[in-house]
Amino acid sequence: MNSTHKETYIDALDPTIFTYIQYGDYADRYPTHTVQEFPQRFYDELRTASAGLFHIFCKAAQVLQNAPDDFARAMDLPRELLPYLRVPNAFGLPTWLSRFDFVLDAKGRIRMVEINADTPCFIVESFYANGIAAAYHGRCDPNAGMRAQLRDFLAQLHARLCAPAVDLSRRTIQDRPFVFSCFDDYPEDLATTLFLMRLMQEGVPHGDIRFLSFYEMEIDERGIPLADNAYTSALYRLHPMEILIDERTPDGEPLGALFLDLYKEGKFALMNPPEAILLQNKSFMALVYALAQTEQFLTAKECALIRRYLAPSYFEEDFAALMDGTYIRKEIWGREGKNVRLVEKRDGHAETIHEKQPDNVDEIICRPSRAAMYQNFVRQPRFVHTVDAGTIEGYLTLSCFMLFGTPSAVGARFSPAAIAGTEAYFLPLVVEP
């Protein structure tokens, strides 16, 4: 234990699982010392809202999949990705593992502001560390049983995608490898990928489940070859699809397109499937909000749910017609709060009053955005928590993971800034007695 730190639950965290407790050159460790309590009904609402939103988002994704390509291009979806967004996948859903993010408004109500449908992180914190913190404090963990739920979900994926192939003529059983992959020099991505891989190994102890760094991955006409001459049957990739599609080989060939052509030919399955990018695109929230205003494609109940939980969201071209007020401008492919602006609109004129620039902005990998979307700025209540440097005030971002259409673990980040970025702390959640 570091003698400069008072003993907390942080010392009970396994550093081989939660490998980024001390992250980079930040003065404070990543987890807060204190925990945040809410009543059980609050967590129930978070999960119920997420499940309802997920159902609606999947319906809206079908609208986008069935629309002409010009509509998708107007939402800044990469032209190169369009051929792969209508390929049927094994579970019939645009995303299998996703995370909804919420903030609290001034009245303490939850408002959804983001979805990570492509490569959600914050998994180690929510499915593992939250339980360690709750147990240390002798409190009830709102995520009790969720790690087992995630393990069962991963086992279900394996059973559908990688069940061993039986060759009756040769009387052999051939394993079909499930491969987990990321760039292994990024600690959070590596920890997240290995956590999921090990959970799948627990759920499928006799499966061929292995790790392969993106740096070592190759492709050929049969798919993704492995060291023992086997080929990948399913790939978990912690690498954004909107980045992958533009990558090229050392010889200048379109690596992303070659990779996705193999997927389209059925050489391997992908988790998450490419169409997760439809929901990941921040303009998608504007599409869903617009559909809720028309009350034609969605049911009255679904429209009411959107109005209740989704922060009002708009396409960039509609901003001029909006009423005066305070809005958040988000680049469509932005990540970690990069280039997010707070915009004040008065008498028809818009002025940027704050621009978010995370601490390690140069390390945040995201696709350049040609467009943006706007959301009503949600004025949030302040909370007080203790970190290594002392007690500070800040704001909460609350998350709920979805496993297919089932709500799962919840989590929280605590940030001194109203627009959370890479400086946010992990804040454990407990159930109010």
CSV table of all heavy atoms in Angstrom, one decimal, residues 76 113-114 282-283 285 312-317 319 322 325-335 337-344 350-357 368-378 419:
chain,number,residue,atom,x,y,z
A,76,ASP,N,-23.3,11.6,-41.9
A,76,ASP,CA,-21.8,11.5,-41.8
A,76,ASP,C,-21.4,10.1,-41.6
A,76,ASP,O,-20.3,9.9,-41.0
A,76,ASP,CB,-21.3,12.5,-40.7
A,76,ASP,CG,-19.8,12.8,-40.9
A,76,ASP,OD1,-19.3,12.6,-42.1
A,76,ASP,OD2,-19.1,13.1,-40.0
A,113,VAL,N,-28.1,11.0,-22.3
A,113,VAL,CA,-27.3,11.9,-23.1
A,113,VAL,C,-26.3,11.2,-24.1
A,113,VAL,O,-25.8,11.9,-25.0
A,113,VAL,CB,-26.5,12.9,-22.2
A,113,VAL,CG1,-27.4,13.8,-21.5
A,113,VAL,CG2,-25.6,12.2,-21.3
A,114,GLU,N,-26.0,9.9,-23.9
A,114,GLU,CA,-25.1,9.2,-24.8
A,114,GLU,C,-25.5,7.8,-24.9
A,114,GLU,O,-26.1,7.2,-23.9
A,114,GLU,CB,-23.7,9.3,-24.3
A,114,GLU,CG,-23.1,10.7,-24.3
A,114,GLU,CD,-22.5,11.2,-25.6
A,114,GLU,OE1,-22.4,10.3,-26.5
A,114,GLU,OE2,-22.0,12.3,-25.7
A,282,LYS,N,-23.6,10.1,-33.1
A,282,LYS,CA,-24.4,10.9,-32.2
A,282,LYS,C,-25.7,11.5,-32.8
A,282,LYS,O,-26.6,11.9,-32.1
A,282,LYS,CB,-23.5,12.0,-31.6
A,282,LYS,CG,-22.5,11.4,-30.6
A,282,LYS,CD,-21.7,12.5,-30.0
A,282,LYS,CE,-20.8,12.0,-28.8
A,282,LYS,NZ,-19.9,10.9,-29.2
A,283,SER,N,-25.7,11.7,-34.2
A,283,SER,CA,-26.9,12.2,-34.8
A,283,SER,C,-28.0,11.2,-34.7
A,283,SER,O,-29.2,11.6,-34.9
A,283,SER,CB,-26.6,12.4,-36.3
A,283,SER,OG,-25.9,13.6,-36.5
A,285,MET,N,-29.3,10.1,-32.0
A,285,MET,CA,-30.2,10.5,-31.0
A,285,MET,C,-31.1,11.6,-31.5
A,285,MET,O,-32.3,11.7,-31.1
A,285,MET,CB,-29.4,11.1,-29.8
A,285,MET,CG,-28.6,10.0,-29.0
A,285,MET,SD,-27.7,10.6,-27.6
A,285,MET,CE,-26.3,11.4,-28.4
A,312,PRO,N,-33.5,16.4,-25.1
A,312,PRO,CA,-33.9,16.8,-26.5
A,312,PRO,C,-32.7,17.0,-27.4
A,312,PRO,O,-31.7,17.7,-27.0
A,312,PRO,CB,-34.6,18.2,-26.2
A,312,PRO,CG,-35.2,18.0,-24.9
A,312,PRO,CD,-34.2,17.1,-24.1
A,313,SER,N,-32.7,16.3,-28.6
A,313,SER,CA,-31.5,16.2,-29.4
A,313,SER,C,-31.9,16.7,-30.8
A,313,SER,O,-33.0,16.3,-31.3
A,313,SER,CB,-31.0,14.8,-29.4
A,313,SER,OG,-30.7,14.4,-28.1
A,314,TYR,N,-31.0,17.4,-31.5
A,314,TYR,CA,-31.4,18.0,-32.8
A,314,TYR,C,-30.2,17.8,-33.8
A,314,TYR,O,-29.1,17.8,-33.5
A,314,TYR,CB,-31.6,19.5,-32.6
A,314,TYR,CG,-32.5,19.8,-31.4
A,314,TYR,CD1,-32.0,20.2,-30.2
A,314,TYR,CD2,-33.9,19.7,-31.5
A,314,TYR,CE1,-32.8,20.5,-29.1
A,314,TYR,CE2,-34.7,20.0,-30.4
A,314,TYR,CZ,-34.1,20.4,-29.2
A,314,TYR,OH,-34.9,20.7,-28.1
A,315,PHE,N,-30.6,17.7,-35.1
A,315,PHE,CA,-29.7,17.7,-36.2
A,315,PHE,C,-29.1,19.1,-36.3
A,315,PHE,O,-29.7,20.1,-35.9
A,315,PHE,CB,-30.3,17.4,-37.5
A,315,PHE,CG,-30.8,15.9,-37.6
A,315,PHE,CD1,-32.1,15.6,-37.6
A,315,PHE,CD2,-29.8,14.9,-37.7
A,315,PHE,CE1,-32.5,14.3,-37.7
A,315,PHE,CE2,-30.2,13.6,-37.8
A,315,PHE,CZ,-31.6,13.3,-37.8
A,316,GLU,N,-27.9,19.2,-36.8
A,316,GLU,CA,-27.2,20.5,-36.9
A,316,GLU,C,-27.9,21.5,-37.7
A,316,GLU,O,-28.0,22.7,-37.4
A,316,GLU,CB,-25.8,20.3,-37.4
A,316,GLU,CG,-24.9,21.5,-37.4
A,316,GLU,CD,-23.4,21.2,-37.8
A,316,GLU,OE1,-23.2,20.2,-38.6
A,316,GLU,OE2,-22.5,21.9,-37.3
A,317,GLU,N,-28.5,21.0,-38.8
A,317,GLU,CA,-29.3,21.9,-39.7
A,317,GLU,C,-30.5,22.5,-39.1
A,317,GLU,O,-31.1,23.4,-39.6
A,317,GLU,CB,-29.6,21.2,-41.1
A,317,GLU,CG,-30.4,20.0,-40.9
A,317,GLU,CD,-29.5,18.7,-40.9
A,317,GLU,OE1,-28.3,18.8,-40.4
A,317,GLU,OE2,-29.9,17.7,-41.3
A,319,PHE,N,-30.6,23.6,-35.9
A,319,PHE,CA,-30.3,24.5,-34.8
A,319,PHE,C,-30.8,25.9,-35.0
A,319,PHE,O,-31.3,26.5,-34.0
A,319,PHE,CB,-28.8,24.5,-34.6
A,319,PHE,CG,-28.3,25.3,-33.4
A,319,PHE,CD1,-28.6,24.9,-32.1
A,319,PHE,CD2,-27.6,26.5,-33.6
A,319,PHE,CE1,-28.2,25.7,-31.1
A,319,PHE,CE2,-27.2,27.3,-32.6
A,319,PHE,CZ,-27.5,26.9,-31.3
A,322,LEU,N,-34.2,26.6,-33.5
A,322,LEU,CA,-34.5,26.3,-32.1
A,322,LEU,C,-34.7,27.6,-31.3
A,322,LEU,O,-34.1,28.6,-31.7
A,322,LEU,CB,-33.3,25.5,-31.5
A,322,LEU,CG,-33.1,24.1,-32.1
A,322,LEU,CD1,-31.9,23.4,-31.4
A,322,LEU,CD2,-34.3,23.2,-32.0
A,325,GLY,N,-31.7,29.5,-25.7
A,325,GLY,CA,-31.4,28.7,-24.6
A,325,GLY,C,-29.9,28.2,-24.6
A,325,GLY,O,-29.1,28.7,-25.4
A,326,THR,N,-29.6,27.3,-23.8
A,326,THR,CA,-28.2,26.7,-23.7
A,326,THR,C,-28.2,25.3,-24.2
A,326,THR,O,-29.0,24.5,-23.8
A,326,THR,CB,-27.7,26.8,-22.2
A,326,THR,OG1,-27.9,28.1,-21.7
A,326,THR,CG2,-26.3,26.4,-22.2
A,327,TYR,N,-27.3,25.1,-25.1
A,327,TYR,CA,-27.2,23.8,-25.8
A,327,TYR,C,-25.8,23.2,-25.8
A,327,TYR,O,-24.8,24.0,-25.6
A,327,TYR,CB,-27.6,23.9,-27.3
A,327,TYR,CG,-29.0,24.4,-27.5
A,327,TYR,CD1,-29.3,25.8,-27.6
A,327,TYR,CD2,-30.1,23.5,-27.6
A,327,TYR,CE1,-30.6,26.2,-27.7
A,327,TYR,CE2,-31.4,23.9,-27.8
A,327,TYR,CZ,-31.7,25.3,-27.8
A,327,TYR,OH,-32.9,25.7,-28.0
A,328,ILE,N,-25.7,21.9,-25.9
A,328,ILE,CA,-24.4,21.3,-26.0
A,328,ILE,C,-24.2,20.9,-27.5
A,328,ILE,O,-25.1,20.2,-28.0
A,328,ILE,CB,-24.2,20.1,-25.1
A,328,ILE,CG1,-24.1,20.5,-23.6
A,328,ILE,CG2,-23.0,19.2,-25.5
A,328,ILE,CD1,-23.9,19.4,-22.7
A,329,ARG,N,-23.1,21.3,-28.1
A,329,ARG,CA,-22.8,20.9,-29.4
A,329,ARG,C,-21.8,19.7,-29.4
A,329,ARG,O,-20.7,19.9,-28.8
A,329,ARG,CB,-22.2,22.0,-30.2
A,329,ARG,CG,-21.9,21.7,-31.7
A,329,ARG,CD,-21.2,22.9,-32.3
A,329,ARG,NE,-20.9,22.6,-33.7
A,329,ARG,CZ,-19.8,22.0,-34.2
A,329,ARG,NH1,-18.9,21.5,-33.3
A,329,ARG,NH2,-19.6,21.8,-35.5
A,330,LYS,N,-22.1,18.6,-30.0
A,330,LYS,CA,-21.3,17.4,-30.0
A,330,LYS,C,-20.9,17.0,-31.4
A,330,LYS,O,-21.8,16.9,-32.2
A,330,LYS,CB,-22.0,16.2,-29.3
A,330,LYS,CG,-22.4,16.5,-27.8
A,330,LYS,CD,-23.1,15.3,-27.3
A,330,LYS,CE,-23.5,15.5,-25.8
A,330,LYS,NZ,-24.3,14.3,-25.3
A,331,GLU,N,-19.7,16.9,-31.7
A,331,GLU,CA,-19.3,16.3,-33.0
A,331,GLU,C,-19.7,14.9,-33.1
A,331,GLU,O,-19.7,14.1,-32.1
A,331,GLU,CB,-17.7,16.4,-33.1
A,331,GLU,CG,-17.2,17.8,-33.2
A,331,GLU,CD,-15.8,17.9,-33.6
A,331,GLU,OE1,-15.1,16.8,-33.6
A,331,GLU,OE2,-15.3,19.0,-33.9
A,332,ILE,N,-20.2,14.5,-34.2
A,332,ILE,CA,-20.8,13.2,-34.4
A,332,ILE,C,-19.9,12.0,-34.0
A,332,ILE,O,-20.4,11.0,-33.4
A,332,ILE,CB,-21.3,13.0,-35.9
A,332,ILE,CG1,-22.6,13.9,-36.1
A,332,ILE,CG2,-21.5,11.6,-36.3
A,332,ILE,CD1,-23.1,13.9,-37.5
A,333,TRP,N,-18.6,12.1,-34.3
A,333,TRP,CA,-17.7,11.0,-34.0
A,333,TRP,C,-16.8,11.3,-32.8
A,333,TRP,O,-15.8,10.7,-32.5
A,333,TRP,CB,-16.9,10.6,-35.2
A,333,TRP,CG,-17.7,10.2,-36.3
A,333,TRP,CD1,-17.8,10.9,-37.6
A,333,TRP,CD2,-18.6,9.1,-36.4
A,333,TRP,NE1,-18.7,10.2,-38.4
A,333,TRP,CE2,-19.2,9.1,-37.7
A,333,TRP,CE3,-18.9,8.1,-35.5
A,333,TRP,CZ2,-20.1,8.1,-38.1
A,333,TRP,CZ3,-19.8,7.1,-36.0
A,333,TRP,CH2,-20.4,7.1,-37.2
A,334,GLY,N,-17.2,12.3,-32.0
A,334,GLY,CA,-16.4,12.7,-30.8
A,334,GLY,C,-16.4,11.6,-29.8
A,334,GLY,O,-17.4,10.9,-29.6
A,335,ARG,N,-15.3,11.6,-29.0
A,335,ARG,CA,-15.3,10.6,-27.9
A,335,ARG,C,-14.6,11.3,-26.7
A,335,ARG,O,-13.8,12.2,-26.9
A,335,ARG,CB,-14.4,9.4,-28.2
A,335,ARG,CG,-15.2,8.4,-29.2
A,335,ARG,CD,-14.3,7.3,-29.6
A,335,ARG,NE,-15.0,6.4,-30.5
A,335,ARG,CZ,-15.6,5.2,-30.1
A,335,ARG,NH1,-15.6,4.9,-28.9
A,335,ARG,NH2,-16.3,4.5,-31.0
A,337,GLY,N,-15.5,13.5,-24.6
A,337,GLY,CA,-15.8,14.9,-24.4
A,337,GLY,C,-14.9,15.8,-25.3
A,337,GLY,O,-15.0,17.0,-25.2
A,338,LYS,N,-14.2,15.2,-26.3
A,338,LYS,CA,-13.3,16.0,-27.1
A,338,LYS,C,-14.2,16.9,-28.0
A,338,LYS,O,-15.1,16.5,-28.7
A,338,LYS,CB,-12.5,15.0,-28.0
A,338,LYS,CG,-11.4,15.8,-28.8
A,338,LYS,CD,-10.6,14.7,-29.6
A,338,LYS,CE,-9.5,15.4,-30.4
A,338,LYS,NZ,-8.7,14.4,-31.2
A,339,ASN,N,-13.8,18.2,-28.0
A,339,ASN,CA,-14.4,19.2,-28.9
A,339,ASN,C,-15.9,19.5,-28.6
A,339,ASN,O,-16.6,20.0,-29.4
A,339,ASN,CB,-14.2,18.9,-30.4
A,339,ASN,CG,-12.8,19.0,-30.8
A,339,ASN,OD1,-11.9,19.6,-30.1
A,339,ASN,ND2,-12.4,18.2,-31.8
A,340,VAL,N,-16.4,19.1,-27.4
A,340,VAL,CA,-17.8,19.4,-27.0
A,340,VAL,C,-17.8,20.9,-26.6
A,340,VAL,O,-17.0,21.3,-25.9
A,340,VAL,CB,-18.2,18.5,-25.9
A,340,VAL,CG1,-19.6,18.9,-25.4
A,340,VAL,CG2,-18.3,17.0,-26.3
A,341,ARG,N,-18.8,21.5,-27.1
A,341,ARG,CA,-19.0,23.0,-26.9
A,341,ARG,C,-20.3,23.2,-26.2
A,341,ARG,O,-21.3,22.6,-26.5
A,341,ARG,CB,-19.0,23.8,-28.2
A,341,ARG,CG,-17.7,23.7,-28.9
A,341,ARG,CD,-17.8,24.6,-30.2
A,341,ARG,NE,-16.7,24.3,-31.1
A,341,ARG,CZ,-16.7,24.8,-32.4
A,341,ARG,NH1,-17.7,25.5,-32.8
A,341,ARG,NH2,-15.7,24.5,-33.2
A,342,LEU,N,-20.3,24.2,-25.3
A,342,LEU,CA,-21.5,24.7,-24.6
A,342,LEU,C,-21.8,26.0,-25.4
A,342,LEU,O,-21.0,26.9,-25.5
A,342,LEU,CB,-21.2,25.0,-23.2
A,342,LEU,CG,-22.4,25.1,-22.2
A,342,LEU,CD1,-23.2,23.8,-22.3
A,342,LEU,CD2,-22.0,25.4,-20.8
A,343,VAL,N,-23.0,26.1,-26.0
A,343,VAL,CA,-23.4,27.2,-26.8
A,343,VAL,C,-24.6,27.9,-26.2
A,343,VAL,O,-25.6,27.2,-25.9
A,343,VAL,CB,-23.8,26.6,-28.3
A,343,VAL,CG1,-24.3,27.8,-29.2
A,343,VAL,CG2,-22.5,26.0,-28.9
A,344,GLU,N,-24.5,29.2,-26.1
A,344,GLU,CA,-25.7,30.0,-25.7
A,344,GLU,C,-26.3,30.7,-26.9
A,344,GLU,O,-25.6,31.3,-27.7
A,344,GLU,CB,-25.1,31.1,-24.7
A,344,GLU,CG,-26.2,31.8,-23.9
A,344,GLU,CD,-26.8,31.0,-22.8
A,344,GLU,OE1,-26.0,30.2,-22.2
A,344,GLU,OE2,-28.0,31.2,-22.4
A,350,ALA,N,-25.9,32.7,-31.8
A,350,ALA,CA,-25.3,31.6,-31.0
A,350,ALA,C,-23.8,32.0,-30.6
A,350,ALA,O,-23.1,32.5,-31.5
A,350,ALA,CB,-25.3,30.3,-31.7
A,351,GLU,N,-23.4,31.8,-29.4
A,351,GLU,CA,-22.1,32.1,-29.0
A,351,GLU,C,-21.5,30.9,-28.1
A,351,GLU,O,-22.2,30.4,-27.2
A,351,GLU,CB,-22.1,33.3,-28.1
A,351,GLU,CG,-20.7,33.7,-27.6
A,351,GLU,CD,-20.7,34.9,-26.7
A,351,GLU,OE1,-21.8,35.5,-26.5
A,351,GLU,OE2,-19.6,35.2,-26.1
A,352,THR,N,-20.3,30.4,-28.4
A,352,THR,CA,-19.7,29.4,-27.6
A,352,THR,C,-19.2,30.0,-26.3
A,352,THR,O,-18.4,30.9,-26.3
A,352,THR,CB,-18.5,28.8,-28.4
A,352,THR,OG1,-19.0,28.1,-29.6
A,352,THR,CG2,-17.8,27.7,-27.5
A,353,ILE,N,-19.8,29.4,-25.2
A,353,ILE,CA,-19.4,30.0,-23.9
A,353,ILE,C,-18.4,29.1,-23.2
A,353,ILE,O,-17.8,29.4,-22.2
A,353,ILE,CB,-20.6,30.2,-23.0
A,353,ILE,CG1,-21.4,29.0,-22.8
A,353,ILE,CG2,-21.5,31.3,-23.6
A,353,ILE,CD1,-22.6,29.1,-21.9
A,354,HIS,N,-18.2,27.8,-23.7
A,354,HIS,CA,-17.2,26.9,-23.2
A,354,HIS,C,-16.9,25.8,-24.2
A,354,HIS,O,-17.8,25.3,-24.8
A,354,HIS,CB,-17.7,26.3,-21.8
A,354,HIS,CG,-16.8,25.3,-21.3
A,354,HIS,ND1,-15.6,25.6,-20.7
A,354,HIS,CD2,-16.9,23.9,-21.2
A,354,HIS,CE1,-15.0,24.5,-20.3
A,354,HIS,NE2,-15.8,23.5,-20.5
A,355,GLU,N,-15.6,25.5,-24.3
A,355,GLU,CA,-15.3,24.3,-25.1
A,355,GLU,C,-14.5,23.3,-24.3
A,355,GLU,O,-13.5,23.7,-23.7
A,355,GLU,CB,-14.5,24.8,-26.4
A,355,GLU,CG,-14.1,23.6,-27.3
A,355,GLU,CD,-13.6,24.1,-28.7
A,355,GLU,OE1,-13.7,25.3,-28.9
A,355,GLU,OE2,-13.2,23.2,-29.4
A,356,LYS,N,-15.0,22.1,-24.3
A,356,LYS,CA,-14.3,21.0,-23.5
A,356,LYS,C,-13.1,20.5,-24.3
A,356,LYS,O,-13.1,20.2,-25.4
A,356,LYS,CB,-15.3,19.9,-23.4
A,356,LYS,CG,-14.7,18.7,-22.6
A,356,LYS,CD,-14.6,18.9,-21.2
A,356,LYS,CE,-14.2,17.7,-20.4
A,356,LYS,NZ,-14.1,17.9,-19.0
A,357,GLN,N,-12.0,20.5,-23.6
A,357,GLN,CA,-10.7,19.9,-24.1
A,357,GLN,C,-10.2,19.0,-23.0
A,357,GLN,O,-9.6,19.5,-22.0
A,357,GLN,CB,-9.7,21.0,-24.5
A,357,GLN,CG,-10.1,21.7,-25.8
A,357,GLN,CD,-10.1,20.8,-27.0
A,357,GLN,OE1,-9.7,19.6,-26.9
A,357,GLN,NE2,-10.7,21.2,-28.1
A,368,PRO,N,-12.4,12.2,-37.5
A,368,PRO,CA,-12.8,13.6,-37.7
A,368,PRO,C,-14.3,13.7,-38.2
A,368,PRO,O,-14.7,12.9,-39.0
A,368,PRO,CB,-11.9,14.1,-38.9
A,368,PRO,CG,-10.7,13.1,-38.8
A,368,PRO,CD,-11.3,11.8,-38.4
A,369,SER,N,-15.0,14.6,-37.6
A,369,SER,CA,-16.4,14.8,-37.9
A,369,SER,C,-16.7,15.9,-38.9
A,369,SER,O,-16.2,17.0,-38.7
A,369,SER,CB,-17.2,15.0,-36.6
A,369,SER,OG,-17.1,14.0,-35.6
A,370,ARG,N,-17.5,15.6,-39.9
A,370,ARG,CA,-17.9,16.6,-40.8
A,370,ARG,C,-19.2,17.4,-40.3
A,370,ARG,O,-19.5,18.4,-40.8
A,370,ARG,CB,-18.2,16.0,-42.2
A,370,ARG,CG,-17.0,15.5,-42.9
A,370,ARG,CD,-17.4,15.2,-44.3
A,370,ARG,NE,-18.5,14.3,-44.5
A,370,ARG,CZ,-19.7,14.6,-44.9
A,370,ARG,NH1,-19.9,15.9,-45.2
A,370,ARG,NH2,-20.7,13.7,-45.0
A,371,ALA,N,-19.8,16.8,-39.3
A,371,ALA,CA,-21.1,17.4,-38.8
A,371,ALA,C,-21.1,17.2,-37.3
A,371,ALA,O,-20.3,16.6,-36.7
A,371,ALA,CB,-22.3,16.7,-39.5
A,372,ALA,N,-22.2,17.9,-36.7
A,372,ALA,CA,-22.4,17.8,-35.3
A,372,ALA,C,-23.9,17.7,-35.0
A,372,ALA,O,-24.7,17.7,-35.9
A,372,ALA,CB,-21.8,19.1,-34.6
A,373,MET,N,-24.2,17.5,-33.7
A,373,MET,CA,-25.6,17.5,-33.3
A,373,MET,C,-25.7,18.4,-32.1
A,373,MET,O,-24.7,18.7,-31.4
A,373,MET,CB,-26.1,16.1,-33.1
A,373,MET,CG,-25.4,15.3,-32.1
A,373,MET,SD,-25.7,15.6,-30.3
A,373,MET,CE,-27.4,14.9,-30.2
A,374,TYR,N,-26.9,18.7,-31.7
A,374,TYR,CA,-27.1,19.6,-30.5
A,374,TYR,C,-28.0,18.9,-29.5
A,374,TYR,O,-29.0,18.2,-30.0
A,374,TYR,CB,-27.7,20.9,-30.9
A,374,TYR,CG,-26.7,21.9,-31.6
A,374,TYR,CD1,-26.4,21.8,-33.0
A,374,TYR,CD2,-26.0,22.9,-30.9
A,374,TYR,CE1,-25.5,22.6,-33.6
A,374,TYR,CE2,-25.1,23.7,-31.5
A,374,TYR,CZ,-24.9,23.6,-32.9
A,374,TYR,OH,-24.0,24.4,-33.5
A,375,GLN,N,-27.8,19.1,-28.3
A,375,GLN,CA,-28.7,18.7,-27.2
A,375,GLN,C,-29.0,19.8,-26.3
A,375,GLN,O,-28.1,20.7,-26.0
A,375,GLN,CB,-28.1,17.5,-26.4
A,375,GLN,CG,-28.3,16.2,-27.0
A,375,GLN,CD,-27.7,15.1,-26.1
A,375,GLN,OE1,-26.8,15.3,-25.2
A,375,GLN,NE2,-28.2,13.9,-26.2
A,376,ASN,N,-30.2,19.8,-25.7
A,376,ASN,CA,-30.5,20.8,-24.6
A,376,ASN,C,-29.5,20.5,-23.5
A,376,ASN,O,-29.2,19.4,-23.1
A,376,ASN,CB,-31.9,20.6,-24.1
A,376,ASN,CG,-32.9,21.2,-25.0
A,376,ASN,OD1,-32.7,21.5,-26.1
A,376,ASN,ND2,-34.2,21.3,-24.5
A,377,PHE,N,-28.9,21.6,-23.0
A,377,PHE,CA,-28.0,21.5,-21.9
A,377,PHE,C,-28.8,21.2,-20.6
A,377,PHE,O,-29.7,21.9,-20.2
A,377,PHE,CB,-27.2,22.7,-21.7
A,377,PHE,CG,-26.3,22.7,-20.5
A,377,PHE,CD1,-25.2,21.8,-20.4
A,377,PHE,CD2,-26.4,23.7,-19.4
A,377,PHE,CE1,-24.4,21.8,-19.3
A,377,PHE,CE2,-25.6,23.6,-18.4
A,377,PHE,CZ,-24.5,22.7,-18.3
A,378,VAL,N,-28.4,20.1,-19.9
A,378,VAL,CA,-29.1,19.7,-18.7
A,378,VAL,C,-28.3,20.2,-17.5
A,378,VAL,O,-27.2,19.9,-17.3
A,378,VAL,CB,-29.2,18.1,-18.6
A,378,VAL,CG1,-29.9,17.7,-17.3
A,378,VAL,CG2,-29.9,17.5,-19.8
A,419,ILE,N,-19.3,18.8,-18.1
A,419,ILE,CA,-19.1,17.9,-19.3
A,419,ILE,C,-18.0,17.0,-19.0
A,419,ILE,O,-16.8,17.3,-19.0
A,419,ILE,CB,-18.8,18.7,-20.6
A,419,ILE,CG1,-20.0,19.8,-20.8
A,419,ILE,CG2,-18.7,17.8,-21.8
A,419,ILE,CD1,-19.6,20.8,-21.9
